Amino acid sequence: MDNFNIALFMCNWGPHSAFQTLQDQRAEIPPEIRMIRIPCTGRISKALLLKAFEKGADGVALVGCDPGTCRYGSGTVTAHDNTADSREILQCLGLGKDRLCWATFLPDESDELLQFLVDFTDQIKRLGKSPVIPVGEAPEEVISGESVADIVSFHNVFACQDCGKCTSACSLAVAGKPFSPRALVTSIIAGDIDSPSVQDNVFACLTCGLCYDRCPSAINFPGFIRDIRAFIQKRKGDTHPVHGGFFHSLMRVMTSPGLTAKRWDWLPEDIVIDDESNVLFWGGCATYLDIFFRKHLGVKTRDILVDSLRLINFFDIQPALLHDERCCGHDLLWSGDRDNYKKLGALNVEMIQDLGVEEVITACPECYRTLSHDYQRQGIELNVKVTHLYSFLENEIAKGAVDFKKIDKRLTFQDPCRLSRFEQGAELPRMLISHLKAVSFQEMQNSGNSAICCGNCAWTGCDSFSKTLQVKRLKQAHDTGSNLLVTACPKCQIHLKCAMEDPFRGEELEIEMVDLASLIARTIYWK
Ligand code: SF4
Ligand code: SF4
Ligand code: SF4
């Protein structure tokens, strides 16, 4: 018989009194329910809700105080909103929204509470066991052959000439952080890897690659950091995650083979898809980012996917979609969780190759980098051509049969490091922008290969210097005199928008942002 596991997050105030009455009466509370007392349901973030599923819950109930009786005032509203967003995410993931519910009770509503617990348990049993396989705890020992010395020698960081070019270029140092890549390397070589400051710095690095670009000894510092993170993660299971680890949980949940996600159910009807196509459009995590951020940052990353698909349709291709597409794993790789990254990679490659497509087009710079290079470098073979949407578009637009409507805006552009620097792809978006009919286009002070980062990468180590960097970047955008910041990465939009939310500086930083694919899709027409 299946043993079901239902987590009940229960507020300490109103509903707990009702629960205690049930216990006093020795009422038959379903044995599948594991009650976790919490100070207020408003404290249970989306990250904690998802974590419960990552750890093997088949269902989760969040039970709080009746509206108007929350001791903290806003707990009920926060819990309601978090549950609504998380249910939508569970639906996309393929777990189904009904595995999570939210309910409120008064202290004297013990009968109603019991009925709710019985009904919810029945509902979860009807849905069956969750397909998520809990990811095991990190083993204590490091796998053989992967020591700090191996990583140091593999990346040949001894070749450092101590010239300081990396430090003067580093995005974080530019933001004022007392941070030096070469000093960090020296501390790690000296055996200080467990010191708190080394660990903080290892996870603060943005892996943006500016230092690598400038290093006369070609020391691949982002690669070194990635591998040191994997070493730390193996020993301590720590990735210094931001947003309570929500995104890392999301990716780890997706490593369960039995999960059948419904990632594209929300697509508008005008998008034409052909399951038999030999071209696959790969969307990435913009679907989930949209649900997570749209309420408090107002970023609509799904629009990037819709507009990309509209453009592909515009050029007469009806691509296939993987309805149970998983995350490419970029952020797991770059935050140090290599085992789960490899699991995701293997599942993705199997699904793509089973489709029999010849080409994968993606608009996300991180997915492009991961599918085209990092899988292979980590021993996962994907024998399909991977194309960035911009190459596809430039190819089509260069044929000359299209024109663009006027854009009454002055444009500037935020380079995504994974495309512009890592893939030497800075020219591509600029070629596309040159076709557009905007009032003007002005580069920011740091652009192309030299662009500074949007302030965060891999949902790891966002700190006050990340914020400073975002503020700096937005000021650079304003300094160009532009009034539309064109982006090419959904996460760049999210991180930069995050800085605009600052109540003290928001207005001075505020600038309209749009993804390049959206700008093209909304202005292109056949001649
Ligand atoms: S990868 Fe970026 S943040 Fe990290 S040390 Fe190099 S320049 Fe600095
Ligand atoms: S979010 Fe964009 S700019 Fe920031 S690290 Fe990722 S690709 Fe680079
Ligand atoms: S910049 Fe904002 S959105 Fe980005 S990781 Fe940091 S807190 Fe999150």
Side-chain angles (χ1 to χ4, degrees):
M1 202 180 73
D2 285 335
N3 289 324
F4 283 85
N5 179 4
I6 298 173
L8 170 69
F9 289 109
M10 173 160 284
C11 168
N12 219 2
W13 299 93
H16 189 257
S17 305
F19 193 81
Q20 225 162 11
T21 306
L22 293 179
Q23 287 176 318
D24 294 345
Q25 293 170 345
R26 298 184 189 279
E28 288 194 19
I29 300 169
E32 294 80 4
I33 290 197
R34 210 157 41 89
M35 195 269 282
I36 304 141
R37 261 172 89 162
I38 50 170
C40 172
T41 49
R43 308 268 180 97
I44 301 299
S45 63
K46 290 185 276 235
L48 284 169
L49 291 173
L50 190 59
K51 184 65 108 186
F53 287 101
E54 183 199 339
K55 294 290 177 195
D58 301 298
V60 176
L62 191 59
V63 169
C65 296
D66 246 26
T69 65
C70 170
R71 184 176 185 272
Y72 302 98
S74 60
T76 311
V77 177
T78 309
H80 168 271
D81 290 352
N82 281 340
T83 312
D85 288 349
S86 301
R87 277 167 60 87
E88 211 179 320
I89 283 165
L90 293 177
Q91 186 68 12
C92 279
L93 266 174
L95 277 172
K97 61 183 185 329
D98 294 339
R99 289 189 186 272
L100 172 64
C101 77
W102 168 75
T104 60
F105 295 93
L106 291 167
D108 61 356
E109 291 182 330
S110 50
D111 290 345
E112 290 84 348
L113 175 61
L114 182 62
Q115 192 57 51
F116 163 78
L117 295 176
V118 170
D119 290 348
F120 185 58
T121 305
D122 287 346
Q123 176 173 316
I124 296 301
K125 286 183 172 172
R126 276 196 303 277
L127 291 171
K129 291 286 294 170
S130 160
V132 175
I133 300 169
V135 172
E137 296 300 320
E140 277 300 305
E141 289 305 312
V142 180
I143 51 170
S144 64
E146 266 197 34
S147 62
V148 173
D150 288 338
I151 299 166
V152 163
S153 129
F154 179 80
H155 290 284
N156 193 21
V157 289
F158 292 113
C160 169
Q161 302 172 40
D162 215 15
C163 68
K165 288 196 168 85
C166 57
T167 311
S168 55
C170 171
S171 294
L172 286 173
V174 165
K177 189 175 172 79
F179 182 91
S180 160
R182 67 198 160 117
L184 185 54
V185 166
T186 309
S187 304
I188 290 171
I189 292 173
D192 275 352
I193 189 147
D194 286 321
S195 83
S197 76
V198 167
Q199 299 227 349
D200 277 354
N201 282 332
V202 163
F203 285 97
C205 169
L206 301 157
T207 67
C208 69
L210 251 174
C211 51
Y212 184 25
D213 196 64
R214 302 293 159 83
C215 176
S217 302
I219 293 174
N220 183 349
F221 194 72
F224 173 72
I225 285 291
R226 181 196 61 213
D227 294 348
I228 288 288
R229 285 178 180 175
F231 174 83
I232 295 172
Q233 206 276 343
K234 270 262 177 227
R235 279 196 315 168
K236 300 189 173 177
D238 189 5
T239 54
H240 284 47
V242 299
H243 296 286
F246 175 87
F247 296 104
H248 295 90
S249 281
L250 187 67
M251 291 180 280
R252 283 195 275 266
V253 163
M254 288 187 216
T255 61
S256 300
L259 209 62
T260 44
K262 298 183 174 74
R263 213 178 248 223
W264 296 103
D265 280 8
W266 51 272
L267 267 186
E269 282 181 0
D270 65 303
I271 301 295
V272 190
I273 298 304
D274 175 6
D275 290 340
E276 305 296 315
S277 175
N278 58 15
V279 176
L280 171 73
F281 178 71
W282 180 272
C285 285
T287 298
Y288 297 102
L289 301 177
D290 190 298
I291 304 170
F292 193 89
F293 286 108
R294 76 181 151 206
K295 273 202 200 95
H296 78 278
L297 291 184
V299 179
K300 294 181 182 154
T301 50
R302 282 183 183 181
D303 289 358
I304 302 171
L305 303 181
V306 173
D307 289 322
S308 301
L309 283 163
R310 285 212 173 102
L311 281 169
I312 294 172
N313 279 173
F314 179 89
F315 287 112
D316 233 9
I317 292 179
Q318 290 84 47
L321 292 177
L322 258 180
H323 294 277
D324 49 359
E325 183 190 310
R326 288 155 205 271
C327 171
C328 69
H330 173 279
D331 296 342
L332 286 180
L333 175 68
W334 289 92
S335 61
D337 188 351
R338 200 181 289 157
D339 290 348
N340 285 307
Y341 161 78
K342 284 187 174 175
K343 281 191 210 164
L344 274 182
L347 286 167
N348 283 330
V349 165
E350 190 186 326
M351 287 193 304
I352 294 172
Q353 284 176 179
D354 279 357
L355 272 186
V357 293
E358 290 165 12
E359 184 176 8
V360 178
I361 299 180
T362 181
C364 172
E366 297 187 343
C367 295
Y368 176 67
R369 161 78 189 184
T370 307
L371 297 176
S372 62
H373 284 107
D374 286 331
Y375 277 175
Q376 198 164 14
R377 284 180 194 158
Q378 303 286 328
I380 309 162
E381 288 291 331
L382 176 61
N383 298 315
V384 172
K385 180 180 174 200
V386 182
T387 306
H388 191 283
L389 178 75
Y390 298 168
S391 305
F392 165 79
L393 291 178
E394 182 53 32
N395 217 5
E396 295 296 330
I397 292 168
K399 291 176 186 164
V402 296
D403 206 348
F404 293 88
K405 294 178 208 156
K406 283 195 176 140
I407 304 166
D408 190 21
K409 295 277 181 187
R410 301 180 299 278
L411 314 184
T412 189
F413 181 67
Q414 159 71 18
D415 284 274
C417 58
R418 265 37 180 175
L419 180 68
S420 290
R421 201 160 27 244
F422 279 48
E423 298 296 321
Q424 291 91 43
E427 279 312 304
L428 261 179
R430 286 170 174 80
M431 275 148 73
L432 290 171
I433 289 172
S434 73
H435 300 299
L436 301 178
K437 299 234 165 95
V439 176
S440 62
F441 172 67
Q442 183 66 45
E443 294 281 9
M444 282 196 256
Q445 189 187 337
N446 303 90
S447 61
N449 261 4
S450 307
I452 52 175
C453 179
C454 64
N456 189 265
C457 185
W459 305 112
T460 283
C462 183
D463 64 8
S464 60
F465 294 100
S466 310
K467 284 275 160 285
T468 310
L469 197 53
Q470 289 154 5
V471 168
K472 186 176 175 64
R473 200 61 177 147
L474 289 169
K475 281 188 173 164
Q476 287 187 341
H478 279 284
D479 287 348
T480 62
S482 306
N483 56 4
L484 184 61
L485 176 54
V486 182
T487 55
C489 166
K491 291 180 187 164
C492 290
Q493 274 208 28
I494 289 166
H495 302 320
L496 292 174
K497 195 76 205 293
C498 181
M500 288 187 221
E501 291 299 294
D502 186 312
F504 295 102
R505 305 194 81 154
E507 268 182 35
E508 124 202 25
L509 302 176
E510 196 75 39
I511 187 167
E512 195 183 333
M513 280 192 283
V514 67
D515 188 86
L516 182 54
S518 296
L519 197 57
I520 297 173
R522 290 165 200 182
T523 54
I524 198 167
Y525 64 87
W526 290 110
K527 266 185 191 165

